[in-house]
């Protein structure tokens, strides 16, 4: 199982970014996919999830600004982030579970700064 996150970078407050997580090694279409983030000096926190049926859920801090989506044909999950603020500065990780094991991408850095 491999997950590779990309799309991070430097963005101004109020700006947008779209993260991607490409995957391999498992049947992507049947797995719930999640995004987490870890800000400097803080614990990793859950951000969003999307089930195999496309049902989405979000943490209260990003609801209404972030959108998680998936493309089963490309084995890829996305995180569209709008109206970014300083709290968005973090390393973002994609995640899935397979047979009780947790799998993480390597993380992609998002920095929100003027």
């Amino acid at each position: 199982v491999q997950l590779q996150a990309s799309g991070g970078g430097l963005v101004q407050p109020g700006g947008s970014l779209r993260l991607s997580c490409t995957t391999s090694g498992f049947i992507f279409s049947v797995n719930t996919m999640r995004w987490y983030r870890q800000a400097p000096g803080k614990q990793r926190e859950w951000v969003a999830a999307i089930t195999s049926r496309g049902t989405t859920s979000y943490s209260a801090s990003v609801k209404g600004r972030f959108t998680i989506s998936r493309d089963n044909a490309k084995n890829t999950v996305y995180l569209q982030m709008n109206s970014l603020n300083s709290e968005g500065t973090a390393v973002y990780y994609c995640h899935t579970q397979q047979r009780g094991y947790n799998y993480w991408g390597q993380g992609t850095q998002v920095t929100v700064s003027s």
Side-chain angles (χ1 to χ4, degrees):
V1 174
Q2 292 188 330
L3 294 82
Q4 183 158 357
S6 62
L10 176 64
V11 62
Q12 292 187 341
S16 298
L17 276 178
R18 189 176 84 152
L19 305 183
S20 300
C21 175
T22 57
T23 72
S24 62
F26 65 102
I27 303 174
F28 178 82
S29 61
V30 304
N31 270 39
T32 293
M33 300 298 300
R34 301 173 184 86
W35 285 98
Y36 286 76
R37 66 185 180 186
Q38 187 165 17
K42 294 187 177 181
Q43 290 188 332
R44 192 171 298 188
E45 65 172 355
W46 171 72
V47 174
I50 185 166
T51 69
S52 59
R53 294 187 176 185
T55 301
T56 59
S57 54
Y58 301 92
S59 68
S61 62
V62 308
K63 193 171 185 178
R65 299 186 297 117
F66 289 15
T67 302
I68 188 171
S69 61
R70 65 192 298 159
D71 185 336
N72 290 338
K74 295 183 178 179
N75 293 340
T76 300
V77 60
Y78 304 98
L79 186 68
Q80 176 67 43
M81 305 185 294
N82 298 331
S83 302
L84 282 160
N85 55 37
S86 59
E87 290 183 352
T89 295
V91 179
Y92 286 73
Y93 299 90
C94 51
H95 167 273
T96 196
Q97 286 184 321
Q98 182 77 358
R99 296 178 181 176
Y101 290 95
N102 290 304
Y103 293 93
W104 299 89
Q106 85 286 5
T108 185
Q109 175 71 49
V110 173
T111 302
V112 183
S113 175
S114 56

